Amino acid sequence: MKPFDAYLHTILTEGGMEAQRHGSSTVEAQHLLLAVAAQEGTAPQRILASFGLDYPAVRAALEAETQHSLSMVGVSPSSFGLPRPSTVTPSHQPRMGETGKLAIERGFASASRKRDLRPAHVLLGILRAEVGTVPRALALAGVDRAELLARVQSSITDDGIA
């Protein structure tokens, strides 16, 4: 298996595990972002960390986004004592959700050829979403998404791939 294929497999597998932990039946972009942030020593993980987005910080940003979104409709989870999300059983693995599919598609589309794909393309695809949970979470965390995108794109270009 080629390095990129192994990385992608890991991200998709870990993203599925993140979805399970959150009680989701689908793997969405936020689960993939958590998986990317958890891959110690990879270029995408290092880029996220340089913006203060290690795994715990990404998780906190996503939790803040959930709290914020719920508060916008007048719901306070702490007021209601909501139960923890139920986990998906192993026989019912989460399937790829729409935002997860779109993130992967955007990442793949950003490379001219499959052999040019690098792990940073996965992060690029996740970050290129203009709307949704990930952009809202990054905004709430005070991250300049445009600057982060530029850094990811630069890392791909610096790797010798336009």
Side-chain angles (χ1 to χ4, degrees):
M1 187 179 290
K2 294 182 181 178
F4 175 78
D5 295 332
Y7 177 81
L8 181 61
H9 181 272
T10 299
I11 295 303
L12 295 175
T13 301
E14 293 295 321
M17 292 176 16
E18 289 292 344
Q20 282 184 314
R21 279 192 277 280
H22 292 99
S24 178
S25 62
T26 57
V27 180
E28 301 296 345
Q30 64 265 26
H31 304 124
L32 298 176
L33 181 61
L34 284 165
V36 169
Q39 299 310 302
E40 293 289 329
T42 63
Q45 181 270 330
R46 287 191 301 270
I47 292 168
L48 287 172
S50 74
F51 279 78
L53 294 170
D54 59 4
Y55 179 85
V58 170
R59 190 171 180 136
L62 291 168
E63 287 173 10
E65 188 282 330
T66 299
Q67 297 286 334
H68 179 76
S69 293
L70 288 172
S71 72
M72 295 305 291
V73 295
V75 176
S76 171
S78 60
S79 298
F80 293 99
L82 297 174
R84 294 182 54 84
S86 60
T87 56
V88 179
T89 62
S91 62
H92 295 93
Q93 295 295 322
R95 59 182 168 69
M96 283 300 289
E98 197 59 33
T99 63
K101 287 178 192 175
L102 289 171
I104 298 300
E105 288 173 9
R106 283 190 300 267
F108 275 52
S110 64
S112 56
R113 299 172 300 203
K114 184 179 186 300
R115 70 177 184 209
D116 292 339
L117 286 168
R118 300 291 184 265
H121 285 97
V122 175
L123 180 56
L124 191 64
I126 295 167
L127 296 175
R128 280 193 170 160
E130 295 291 326
V131 295
T133 301
V134 170
R136 287 191 306 266
L138 294 175
L140 286 169
V143 173
D144 182 337
R145 193 173 64 87
E147 186 178 334
L148 179 55
L149 274 165
R151 176 75 184 279
V152 174
Q153 185 63 55
S154 174
S155 78
I156 293 169
T157 304
D158 292 346
D159 192 25
I161 298 169

